[in-house]
Amino acid sequence: MILHTLLDYDTLRIIWWLLLGILLVGFAVTDGFDLGTGTLLPFVANTDLERRVVINAVGPVWEGNQVWLVLGGGAIFAAWPQLYAVSFSGFYLAMAAVLLALILRPVAFKYRSKRDSIAWRTTWDWALFVGGFVPALIFGVAMGNVLQGVPFRLAPDQQIFYEGGFFALLNPFAVLCGLVSVAMLVMHGAAWLVLKTDGLVASRARTWGMRAAIATVVLYAVAGVLLWGFVDGYRITSAVVTSGPSNPLFKTVDAGVAGSWFANYAAHPWTQLAPAAGIAGALLTLMALVRRREGVAMLTSSLSIAGIVLSVGASMFPFILPSSIQPQASLTVWDASSSHLTLFIMLVATFIFLPLILLYTSWVYKVLWGKVVPGDISGGTSHAY
């Protein structure tokens, strides 16, 4: 018996769809508070010492948190090659902007305190703001465009043709989704700062966190209403072959179906837990911040992020990237994956290395736990940024 046949092809596809969701949630929860903290930097810290406190609240962990971004990108490349090809070519300029913003972060961390100049340090502080705000916004804008459909088509030989432009991505619904992303990550970053700092920085972060929690609930609810009433979804109209070859052109798809992104919630009521967690998590974060429950706020903001991210996948299943100009070419869980053997080999590697990453990450957070206090930074005896 060939080892990889122990798991059916359709089962492996579902497993990798779930793993992709887990990796995206892992990135949003871990690196999300880094992005939120960078976005908050100009607003919660007034003095140079306060800004250094904020920077050092994420300084020891931000590099490790980006492992989840690498894992997510690698998983898309290996498990869903067509998804990788369409998204990274179609969103090329947007992805370039994200990468440039992310590149600014390590440079700003390393060079900000190299000169005792107000102008120099202020410039790098705003670079950290850009490095947090821009990726948070663009990731949300990308999700908004995915929900509406992306303008790509496939030739009979499955060659990909993308027919959109950068500024077309900045449509009203996508920008709203971007604002949802910014609000939830600012909420998450504020919860982290409340947990890791004290004094005026923590107080200001608490205020901004409460505002961001309210904004997350309102913007997410508005986006849901617009998705229901004004954004047409997609529906497979041919027989669904779950273990067939990876060729999207073997199916037929009906586009422009109002409210179809909510069909899974009616057919499988348990999927309603995802959007419920998105809203409830933000409301609980607001309550935790008001009551000064630092650890609870961090957990509930993580719950909100997980719910919001997973609600996109739950509503779209089995679609992972619909096409707005050739609905038949829409990529789904059943026709856009790598081969049976590739998925199995990757699954074995994931079961070996993902627990190691989780163990190491947990150990790092344990070692580096505790609040960042101004005395440790101003004393000059530490390796603080």
Side-chain angles (χ1 to χ4, degrees):
M1 178 183 290
I2 300 176
L3 190 60
H4 74 276
T5 60
L6 293 174
L7 285 173
D8 296 334
Y9 197 11
D10 53 345
T11 302
L12 278 170
R13 282 168 162 166
I14 287 291
I15 290 173
W16 271 103
W17 177 75
L18 293 171
L19 283 174
L20 179 59
I22 291 171
L23 292 175
L24 292 177
V25 169
F27 167 68
V29 169
T30 56
D31 206 36
F33 67 74
D34 296 341
L35 299 177
T37 298
T39 305
L40 283 170
L41 177 61
F43 309 104
V44 299
N46 293 336
T47 67
D48 182 69
L49 182 57
E50 288 178 348
R51 295 188 184 101
R52 292 187 66 192
V53 167
V54 172
I55 292 170
N56 282 278
V58 296
V61 296
W62 71 269
E63 288 178 290
N65 292 340
Q66 290 199 148
V67 168
W68 293 95
L69 177 61
V70 177
L71 290 174
I76 293 174
F77 174 79
W80 311 99
Q82 289 175 311
L83 173 62
Y84 182 91
V86 175
S87 58
F88 279 76
S89 60
F91 298 152
Y92 181 81
L93 291 178
M95 292 297 180
V98 168
L99 289 177
L100 288 174
L102 292 177
I103 289 170
L104 276 177
R105 290 203 300 170
V107 178
F109 278 128
K110 299 297 183 182
Y111 283 92
R112 181 195 180 276
S113 296
K114 295 296 184 182
R115 292 180 58 189
D116 190 11
S117 164
I118 295 176
W120 173 269
R121 295 188 175 190
T122 300
T123 299
W124 289 116
D125 289 340
W126 282 104
L128 286 171
F129 167 80
V130 171
F133 177 80
V134 170
L137 179 68
I138 291 181
F139 286 138
V141 168
M143 287 298 100
N145 280 280
V146 168
L147 286 166
Q148 296 175 95
V150 176
F152 73 93
R153 59 183 177 88
L154 297 179
D157 61 357
Q158 297 195 55
Q159 184 178 359
I160 298 167
F161 295 91
Y162 180 81
E163 299 185 1
F166 174 75
F167 292 104
L169 299 175
L170 302 176
N171 56 80
F173 180 76
V175 171
L176 174 61
C177 292
L179 294 177
V180 173
S181 176
V182 171
M184 74 177 187
L185 295 187
V186 167
M187 172 185 68
H188 198 43
W192 177 256
L193 286 176
V194 171
L195 184 66
K196 291 289 291 182
T197 65
D198 54 17
L200 291 176
V201 171
S203 177
R204 297 187 193 111
R206 183 177 292 105
T207 300
W208 278 101
M210 291 187 288
R211 295 170 180 170
I214 296 172
T216 299
V217 173
V218 173
L219 293 172
Y220 183 55
V222 171
V225 171
L226 293 179
L227 187 65
W228 169 265
F230 299 96
V231 177
D232 293 334
Y234 296 74
R235 180 177 60 194
I236 298 176
T237 55
S238 59
V240 178
V241 180
T242 60
S243 57
S246 289
N247 189 335
L249 299 179
F250 284 173
K251 66 179 182 303
T252 58
V253 174
D254 188 8
V257 183
S260 63
W261 286 148
F262 288 78
N264 284 337
Y265 295 131
H268 308 286
W270 61 269
T271 58
Q272 298 174 21
L273 292 173
I279 293 177
L283 291 174
L284 290 172
T285 302
L286 174 62
M287 294 174 59
L289 290 172
V290 170
R291 298 182 179 182
R292 301 178 183 272
R293 302 292 297 274
E294 303 169 354
V296 173
M298 192 66 195
L299 292 175
T300 54
S301 64
S302 300
L303 174 66
S304 179
I305 289 175
I308 291 173
V309 172
L310 293 177
S311 68
V312 177
S315 64
M316 291 182 60
F317 182 85
F319 290 92
I320 51 179
L321 191 65
S323 170
S324 60
I325 61 175
Q326 187 188 10
Q328 182 187 14
S330 298
L331 308 182
T332 74
V333 172
W334 310 123
D335 58 24
S337 71
S338 293
S339 68
H340 192 171
L341 179 60
T342 299
L343 294 182
F344 182 79
I345 293 173
M346 288 174 57
L347 185 63
V348 173
T350 301
F351 282 158
I352 294 173
F353 292 106
L354 187 57
L356 295 176
I357 293 172
L358 290 172
L359 286 173
Y360 176 74
T361 302
S362 300
W363 177 77
V364 168
Y365 275 86
K366 180 181 178 181
V367 170
L368 298 173
W369 198 249
K371 290 184 178 291
V372 179
V373 296
D376 292 338
I377 296 174
S378 59
T381 58
S382 67
H383 296 283
Y385 289 112

